[in-house]
Amino acid sequence: DAKTTQPNSMESNEEEPVHLPCNHSTISGTDYIHWYRQLPSQGPEYVIHGLTSNVNNRMASLAIAEDRKSSTLILHRATLRDAAVYYCISSNSGNTPLVFGKGTRLSVIA
Amino acid sequence: DAGITQSPRHKVTETGTPVTLRCHQTENHRYMYWYRQDPGHGLRLIHYSYGVKDTDKGEVSDGYSVSRSKTEDFLLTLESATSSQTSVYFCAISFEGLTGSEQYFGPGTRLTVT
C-alpha cells in the first residue's frame, strides 16, 4: 500500500494557484517525496521530487513541512491543461520501486 | 519527450492465448518497469528490470513474465491471458536507482482479453 494520503479530488479556477496536499506521516529520514501527474488518456508524467528543502521547477513548486510529515504541490497558475490525477509518492529508502496510490483528481474550471 | 515506445498500442485477444507486449527505449536507461492501470486501483507495478537479464517482481506479478535481453527492450508476456488481465499497460524507464530519479512513461498499451 502507498504510504501517503491525498484527497480524492480537488477543484480550482483557471489562472488561480492550486495547493495539492499530501500526508506522509510514516516517512523516514531518507525517503524522497515524488509527485507525478497523469493527464487523460496518457501515461504518468514526472512533476517534481524533493527530500527536505522546498523545490522549484518549470512545472511546479514542492513545499515540504519541516517535520517532513506532509508536503504540498503548488501549481502557481492553473490552466485547463493542468486537469489531471496527481500522485504523491514517498519512496522507500531500501531502493524498491515507487508505489503509486490513487492520487488526487484535479479539475480546473474556466 | 523521453524516447519510449510501446507496441502494440491496442490489442484484443482471446482467453488462454499468449500475449507479448514490447517496450522500447532509446535513452539507454538502466531501469525499466511494467505497470498496469485499472479503474479503482491506480497504477500497480508488475515487474521491473535493473539491467540486462536482471529482473524482479512487483506487487502484481502473478500470470506475467518478463525478459530483457538488451538494454533497449523490455518484454512483458502473459503466458495464458485471462479476462482479469484486461487493462492498460504502461512501461516506464529511469536513469538512476529505483527511487532516486524520475521515471518516464510510455504511451500505454490497451489490452482486452475476451
Side-chain angles (χ1 to χ4, degrees):
Chain A
D1 290 338
K3 297 176 290 184
T4 62
T5 304
Q6 300 177 253
N8 290 332
S9 62
M10 289 184 63
E11 201 171 82
S12 173
N13 293 319
E14 194 177 13
E15 299 190 4
E16 291 187 356
V18 181
H19 291 231
L20 295 162
C22 181
N23 288 321
H24 27 79
S25 57
T26 60
I27 196 169
S28 72
T30 55
D31 287 353
Y32 280 82
I33 300 152
H34 304 254
W35 283 84
Y36 285 76
R37 73 179 186 180
Q38 188 171 19
L39 279 63
S41 302
Q42 295 188 25
E45 173 187 32
Y46 168 81
V47 177
I48 201 167
H49 77 288
L51 185 61
T52 55
S53 303
N54 294 344
V55 185
N56 300 294
N57 65 20
R58 64 174 179 81
M59 289 182 69
S61 296
L62 175 60
I64 302 172
E66 197 169 329
D67 63 6
R68 299 202 342 114
K69 293 185 185 300
S70 65
S71 62
T72 302
L73 180 72
I74 302 166
L75 307 179
H76 295 286
R77 196 164 168 228
T79 69
L80 296 177
R81 293 185 59 202
D82 290 322
V85 177
Y86 286 79
Y87 299 97
C88 169
I89 306 160
S90 68
S91 64
N92 186 322
S93 57
N95 208 29
T96 54
L98 299 177
V99 175
F100 286 74
K102 296 181 182 179
T104 296
R105 182 173 298 278
L106 175 67
S107 301
V108 180
I109 302 169
Chain B
D1 290 343
I4 310 170
T5 56
Q6 293 184 230
S7 58
R9 293 293 313 280
H10 302 271
K11 186 170 182 66
V12 180
T13 191
E14 293 183 349
T15 299
T17 59
V19 176
T20 295
L21 308 183
R22 179 183 184 231
C23 177
H24 178 78
Q25 61 148 327
T26 58
E27 306 297 318
N28 201 36
H29 283 8
R30 179 181 173 190
Y31 295 86
M32 299 186 75
Y33 315 81
W34 276 108
Y35 293 86
R36 62 177 288 175
Q37 187 169 39
D38 307 288
H41 288 280
L43 276 161
R44 292 182 291 175
L45 182 67
I46 305 171
H47 282 279
Y48 64 98
S49 169
Y50 46 96
V52 173
K53 299 191 189 311
D54 292 323
T55 65
D56 207 346
K57 296 179 180 180
E59 59 184 302
V60 290
S61 59
D62 287 348
Y64 302 94
S65 62
V66 289
S67 66
R68 191 166 177 203
S69 59
K70 45 187 178 177
T71 300
E72 57 265 36
D73 288 326
F74 192 33
L75 304 181
L76 177 71
T77 298
L78 291 66
E79 301 291 347
S80 178
T82 68
S83 58
S84 64
Q85 293 176 313
T86 292
S87 187
V88 180
Y89 291 85
F90 289 102
C91 173
I93 64 174
S94 66
F95 178 68
E96 294 179 350
L98 295 172
T99 58
S101 71
E102 49 265 43
Q103 292 187 14
Y104 299 96
F105 285 79
T109 293
R110 184 173 295 275
L111 175 68
T112 302
V113 183
T114 61

